[in-house]
Amino acid sequence: MKYKCALFVVDNMEKAKNFYIEILGQEIKYDFGESVTFEGGFAIHEKAHFSYLLGGLAIHKNPNNSELYFEYDDLEQLENKLEKEKVEFIHQVKEQPWRQKVLRFYDLDKNIIEVGESLEHLVYRLWNEGKNYEEIAKITDMDNEFVEKSIKKFSRR
């Protein structure tokens, strides 16, 4: 058995595709009309068709029990874009206990989307704040090798 992808059910396929393509910058891998798979390894499926495939079971919105997770290192820029698009935030940019910046919001169908800065970027940001390798490793729970590689990766940019 091999895991393939997560799937969210959507009311309006065209609006949902536009949201994921235009707002979140995703690219379509397969488009089967009522089902679309994105390059990032997740899919959306049109609600009426999905219910049909399940033998008519009801599809419920907004269970707040799952999310799609993306990484993007300029969260403030994304937050501004989402505000302009009038996206409903669960919370705007904030730091997790391990200092990673994240924001959470709903897509058009009330599915939770989380976007966090990459852990490599977090390490580099902490380095720029004056933290040493050991402090960063303790804060992030990452080993010194990961810390060193992350700092080198972003220092080359």
Side-chain angles (χ1 to χ4, degrees), residues 33-72:
E34 58 272 314
S35 178
V36 172
T37 302
F38 291 92
E39 291 290 342
F42 71 98
I44 56 177
H45 201 113
E46 194 273 326
K47 181 180 178 178
H49 188 257
F50 192 70
S51 177
Y52 166 77
L53 295 175
L54 298 177
L57 288 176
I59 307 298
H60 303 285
K61 276 189 168 186
N62 202 19
N64 289 332
N65 65 0
S66 62
E67 69 178 19
L68 290 181
Y69 174 75
F70 297 90
E71 289 186 341
Y72 188 69

Side-chain angles (χ1 to χ4, degrees), residues 60-85:
H60 303 285
K61 276 189 168 186
N62 202 19
N64 289 332
N65 65 0
S66 62
E67 69 178 19
L68 290 181
Y69 174 75
F70 297 90
E71 289 186 341
Y72 188 69
D73 292 335
D74 191 349
L75 289 180
E76 287 77 10
Q77 180 268 340
L78 177 61
E79 181 180 71
N80 290 335
K81 181 178 183 178
L82 296 171
E83 285 175 340
K84 288 177 186 167
E85 295 292 332

Side-chain angles (χ1 to χ4, degrees), residues 2-3 6 10 13 17 44 48 55 57 64-65 73 76 82 89 92 95 98 107 112 123 128 133 138 144:
K2 181 179 178 183
Y3 172 78
V10 300
M13 182 57 74
K17 282 193 314 190
I44 56 177
L57 288 176
N64 289 332
N65 65 0
D73 292 335
E76 287 77 10
L82 296 171
F89 286 93
Q92 292 178 289
E95 285 190 1
W98 55 93
D107 73 3
I112 298 174
V123 165
N128 280 333
Y133 283 28
K138 185 175 181 177
N144 283 338

Side-chain angles (χ1 to χ4, degrees), residues 126-127 130-137 147 151:
L126 294 174
W127 174 255
K131 306 279 190 241
N132 64 38
Y133 283 28
E134 292 75 27
E135 291 172 312
I136 295 169
V147 170
I151 292 168

Side-chain angles (χ1 to χ4, degrees), residues 68-131:
L68 290 181
Y69 174 75
F70 297 90
E71 289 186 341
Y72 188 69
D73 292 335
D74 191 349
L75 289 180
E76 287 77 10
Q77 180 268 340
L78 177 61
E79 181 180 71
N80 290 335
K81 181 178 183 178
L82 296 171
E83 285 175 340
K84 288 177 186 167
E85 295 292 332
K86 308 257 189 280
V87 169
E88 181 182 352
F89 286 93
I90 296 168
H91 64 76
Q92 292 178 289
V93 175
K94 72 176 188 177
E95 285 190 1
Q96 303 290 55
W98 55 93
R99 301 277 319 269
Q100 180 188 28
K101 289 183 179 182
V102 301
L103 64 108
R104 291 182 178 90
F105 53 93
Y106 291 113
D107 73 3
L108 301 175
D109 294 279
K110 294 292 201 176
N111 298 303
I112 298 174
I113 308 297
E114 176 183 347
V115 183
E117 70 181 316
S118 66
L119 294 176
E120 293 91 349
H121 186 267
L122 165 61
V123 165
Y124 184 69
R125 184 169 56 83
L126 294 174
W127 174 255
N128 280 333
E129 290 177 7
K131 306 279 190 241

